[in-house]
């Protein structure tokens, strides 16, 4: 099978960026992968190490190399994983506490990227994700549809996995979303959840389980499990790397797939001046459409609260317009 000719650039190859690299190779995402990191020796080492996997890779003819931001000139997709993350000793803290540090990082990254391109689709992972997306989309003159954050794609995957495990089903058959902030104010949109068109409220009638699915407990577990991973291994990287690469595949192959990604809202649910996650159609041009899906009244209220939480941070770091 001949690989689609495409180029992926990964900015930042710490724990998350290196996992993105490995995932991209496993999925055969691109024929060229360029790695950029402030630690140039680390980037060269990651490129060299990954090249040794190519004889066993799905697509062995991949050009992997370390480079400068000039590599962005002809990139199709850029995945940004640069900047510090929450540490285990900070696991009780909100990831929004990273805002001040990573705004400085993102300023350097976006300034460097825009010297070479405004054509590539940028997928952001750096936390606090929604603040970084808002900053990148609104302060650098980059086409807004070409910047998006992984958003609640990871929380949604965890959500589906938890529900599927409860009923002993394939998680791909669970449909639904975690929406809002990529963080503590994210919420489960239970009104949208279904398995085989069976709504969440009736799942226990169709699928045997030791006990009924507890909506509140399940939603809380989705948020808590991120801290469980962090406290156990020191970082989270496998799930978010797969989420980012899955979105990248939708761009590179013009899938028109729907993911709950983070973008700046433009009046949906009466909200503006904030980036958070709603279901979006992802295609070659990036975000083709943001979907104002029907939410229950309590879910709409949670979305508004999540937006207010993020707006407070945007204001506190001087990004409010």
């Amino acid at each position: 099978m001949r690989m689609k000719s495409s180029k992926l650039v990964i900015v930042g190859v710490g724990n998350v960026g290196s996992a993105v690299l490995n995932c991209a190779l496993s999925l055969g995402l691109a024929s060229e992968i360029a790695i950029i990191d402030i630690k140039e020796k680390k980037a060269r080492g990651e490129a060299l190490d990954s090249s040794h996997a190519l004889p066993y890779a799905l697509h062995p003819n991949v050009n992997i190399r370390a480079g400068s931001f000039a590599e962005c000139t002809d990139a199709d997709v850029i995945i940004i994983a640069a900047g510090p993350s929450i540490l285990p000793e900070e696991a009780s803290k909100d990831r929004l506490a990273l805002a001040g540090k990573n705004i400085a990082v993102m300023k350097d990254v976006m300034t460097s990227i825009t010297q070479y391109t405004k054509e590539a689709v940028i997928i952001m992972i750096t936390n606090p994700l929604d603040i970084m997306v808002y900053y990148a989309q609104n302060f650098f003159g980059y086409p807004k549809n070409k910047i998006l954050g992984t958003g609640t794609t990871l929380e949604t995957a965890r959500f589906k996995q938890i529900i599927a495990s409860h009923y002993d089903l394939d998680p791909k058959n669970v449909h639904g979303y975690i929406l809002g902030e990529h963080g503590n104010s994210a919420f489960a949109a239970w009104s949208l959840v279904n398995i085989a068109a069976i709504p969440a409220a009736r799942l226990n009638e169709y699928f045997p389980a030791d006990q009924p699915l507890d909506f509140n407990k399940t939603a809380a577990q989705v948020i808590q499990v991120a801290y469980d991973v962090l406290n156990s291994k020191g970082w989270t990287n496998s799930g978010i790397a797969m989420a980012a690469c899955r979105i990248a595949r939708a761009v590179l192959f013009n899938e028109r797939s729907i993911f709950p990604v983070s973008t700046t809202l433009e009046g949906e649910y009466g909200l503006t001046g904030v980036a958070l996650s709603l279901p979006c159609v992802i295609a070659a041009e990036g975000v083709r459409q943001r979907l104002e899906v029907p939410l229950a009244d309590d879910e709409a209220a949670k979305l508004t609260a999540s937006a207010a939480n993020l707006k407070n941070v945007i204001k506190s770091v001087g990004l409010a317009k």
Side-chain angles (χ1 to χ4, degrees):
M1 186 170 73
R2 187 176 180 182
M3 180 186 295
K4 178 181 182 292
S5 178
S6 53
K7 183 176 181 180
L8 170 66
V9 172
I10 302 170
V11 181
V13 282
N15 292 321
V16 174
S18 60
V20 170
L21 173 58
N22 291 332
C23 185
L25 285 174
S26 297
L27 294 176
L29 279 187
S31 54
E32 288 184 77
I33 302 177
I35 305 166
I36 303 170
D37 196 281
I38 192 170
K39 299 178 180 178
E40 295 180 3
K41 185 176 180 180
K42 174 73 161 56
R44 290 195 299 273
E46 289 287 356
L48 181 61
D49 191 14
S50 294
S51 72
H52 299 158
L54 291 177
Y56 303 109
L58 179 64
H59 297 293
N61 298 318
V62 180
N63 183 342
I64 308 172
R65 61 184 178 273
S68 69
F69 278 97
E71 292 283 1
C72 296
T73 302
D74 56 348
D76 296 292
V77 172
I78 301 169
I79 297 178
I80 301 177
S85 300
I86 293 177
L87 300 173
E89 60 268 25
E90 301 172 321
S92 62
K93 296 182 180 179
D94 196 311
R95 57 172 56 88
L96 294 178
L98 292 170
K101 294 178 183 178
N102 279 339
I103 282 173
V105 172
M106 198 54 57
K107 181 178 180 180
D108 289 343
V109 170
M110 286 301 300
T111 299
S112 298
I113 289 173
T114 53
Q115 290 180 27
Y116 297 99
T117 186
K118 289 188 178 180
E119 297 297 324
V121 173
I122 296 175
I123 299 172
M124 303 185 67
I125 299 177
T126 302
N127 280 319
L129 192 279
D130 303 293
I131 306 302
M132 297 301 105
V133 169
Y134 180 80
Y135 184 42
Q137 280 193 315
N138 292 282
F139 289 84
F140 296 92
Y142 210 94
K144 284 188 176 182
N145 66 294
K146 291 183 177 292
I147 296 179
L148 58 114
T150 50
T152 55
T153 302
L154 177 54
E155 285 96 336
T156 295
R158 290 168 174 159
F159 186 47
K160 292 180 178 183
Q161 182 64 46
I162 291 167
I163 295 172
S165 294
H166 183 84
Y167 292 115
D168 193 25
L169 296 170
D170 183 341
K172 292 189 292 296
N173 290 316
V174 179
H175 305 286
Y177 301 104
I178 298 291
L179 300 177
E181 176 199 350
H182 173 57
N184 293 343
S185 69
F187 66 94
W190 285 105
S191 65
L192 305 177
V193 173
N194 74 87
I195 299 175
I198 301 165
R202 300 190 62 189
L203 291 177
N204 296 314
E205 299 174 28
Y206 287 82
F207 303 106
D210 293 337
Q211 54 188 326
L213 184 67
D214 186 316
F215 286 9
N216 291 331
K217 183 179 178 180
T218 299
Q221 188 179 353
V222 172
I223 303 302
Q224 180 58 40
V225 72
Y227 296 105
D228 293 342
V229 174
L230 181 63
N231 285 322
S232 297
K233 63 181 276 188
W235 57 83
T236 61
N237 60 348
S238 298
I240 192 59
M242 181 60 77
C245 287
R246 180 64 189 87
I247 295 167
R249 191 175 81 179
V251 174
L252 292 168
F253 291 90
N254 192 30
E255 287 182 353
R256 290 90 71 199
S257 294
I258 298 173
F259 298 95
V261 297
S262 180
T263 61
T264 300
L265 302 193
E266 297 178 349
E268 293 86 357
Y269 307 97
L271 299 172
T272 58
V274 66
L276 48 71
S277 289
L278 295 177
C280 295
V281 179
I282 307 300
E285 67 269 32
V287 179
R288 175 172 291 185
Q289 183 181 4
R290 215 167 17 251
L291 301 174
E292 190 172 352
V293 293
L295 297 176
D297 289 345
D298 64 319
E299 294 164 356
K302 289 176 182 177
L303 183 69
T304 299
S306 190
N309 186 43
L310 289 164
K311 281 188 174 184
N312 286 336
V313 180
I314 289 171
K315 183 177 180 181
S316 71
V317 294
L319 297 182
K321 287 191 172 184

